[in-house]
Structure formats: structure tokens, C-alpha cells
């Protein structure tokens, strides 16, 4: 399965009546492995800041998490594993794996539904994900 098929068929699909607005799989080096057509154009410094927050949890809190130029307020995540951001009724969740970042964005959601969706997607295909990207 290609990474694009993984984004299209698993990250962007409906799970329990919910779906992400956009999603991507991005390497730790900032390379885009696959993304939905609606995923924002990210800057290298945005990915670097996200990786730095995984290595030094809390480093994004003072400045916010930026993705495609949009600023999200960093909210409770899971140190070293999940970063969550909130902006208005939407949010972003970034799940770190061994080799990549799995990013899900929602424009309208109840708090945490984006995290639930990203985590469920990662758990949904353990064979594909764990063999290649999961810790």
C-alpha cells in the first residue's frame, strides 16, 4: 500500500461518524510522504518546531503550533508522542512515530475528536503502520 493510499483510504475515511478535514504523513526530515488535497502547505520551520517539541515537550507552548501558517494553541497531549493544538472550533493532532509524523486537522470538532480519529487510524492498521513507522 502506498502512503498516499493510506492517507486517502484510512486517514480521510469516516470513523464512527467523524472524519478529518485534512491529513498528512510527513517524515521527521520534513519530507511529505503523502497528504490529502486539502492539507495546508507546511513550512520546514513548522515541522522542525514540531519535532523539537517532541524532543523537548512544552517548547511550543509559549509560541503556539504553526501548520501552514495557521497558529494553534497547544493543549494537553502526550509528552513525546502526541501534540494537540486548538484554534476556534477546530484542531490539529500530530502523532509521532519512529520515522514520521501523522497529522490530522479538523475545522469543526468537539475537543479531542481529532486526536481520537488520528489515534484510531494508527491503531486501525497496525500491520501497515507498526512495520514501517510506529515505535
Amino acid at each position: 500500500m502506498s502512503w498516499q493510499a493510506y492517507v486517502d483510504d484510512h486517514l480521510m475515511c469516516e470513523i464512527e461518524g467523524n472524519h478529518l478535514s485534512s491529513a498528512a504523513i510527513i517524515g521527521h526530515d520534513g519530507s511529505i510522504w503523502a497528504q490529502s488535497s486539502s492539507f495546508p502547505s507546511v513550512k520546514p520551520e513548522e515541522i522542525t518546531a514540531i519535532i523539537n517539541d517532541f524532543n523537548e515537550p512544552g517548547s511550543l507552548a509559549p509560541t503556539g503550533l504553526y501548520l501552514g501558517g495557521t497558529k494553534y494553541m497547544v493543549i494537553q497531549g502526550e509528552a513525546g508522542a502526541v501534540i494537540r493544538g486548538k484554534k476556534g472550533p477546530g484542531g490539529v493532532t500530530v502523532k509521532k512515530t519512529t520515522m514520521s509524523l501523522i497529522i490530522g486537522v479538523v475545522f469543526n470538532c468537539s475537543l479531542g475528536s481529532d486526536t481520537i480519529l488520528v489515534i484510531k487510524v494508527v491503531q486501525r492498521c497496525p500491520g501497515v503502520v507498526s512495520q514501517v513507522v510506529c515505535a
Side-chain angles (χ1 to χ4, degrees):
M1 172 184 294
S2 74
W3 292 119
Q4 189 60 53
Y6 186 77
V7 168
D8 296 341
D9 299 341
H10 298 287
L11 289 175
M12 295 304 294
C13 72
E14 184 174 307
I15 298 175
E16 298 177 9
N18 297 299
H19 67 278
L20 297 171
S21 301
S22 63
I25 301 174
I26 300 176
H28 290 186
D29 62 357
S31 62
I32 306 290
W33 292 9
Q35 63 184 4
S36 64
S37 60
S38 56
F39 193 76
S41 178
V42 294
K43 300 172 185 170
E45 58 269 22
E46 294 173 336
I47 300 304
T48 298
I50 290 169
I51 291 292
N52 288 343
D53 192 76
F54 281 117
N55 297 330
E56 299 172 30
S59 64
L60 283 177
T63 60
L65 183 159
Y66 284 85
L67 192 67
T70 299
K71 181 180 179 179
Y72 295 86
M73 177 179 65
V74 177
I75 56 177
Q76 181 181 4
E78 185 180 332
V82 176
I83 299 170
R84 295 175 59 210
K86 181 93 174 111
K87 180 175 177 68
V92 61
T93 294
V94 184
K95 170 72 173 140
K96 182 183 180 193
T97 68
T98 303
M99 297 168 47
S100 70
L101 304 172
I102 299 176
I103 304 174
V105 178
V106 290
F107 295 128
N108 291 295
C109 67
S110 60
L111 189 61
S113 66
D114 53 335
T115 300
I116 292 166
L117 288 168
V118 170
I119 300 302
K120 284 188 179 204
V121 166
V122 171
Q123 293 171 342
R124 186 181 216 201
C125 298
V128 174
V129 177
S130 64
Q131 286 178 9
V132 183
V133 297
C134 279

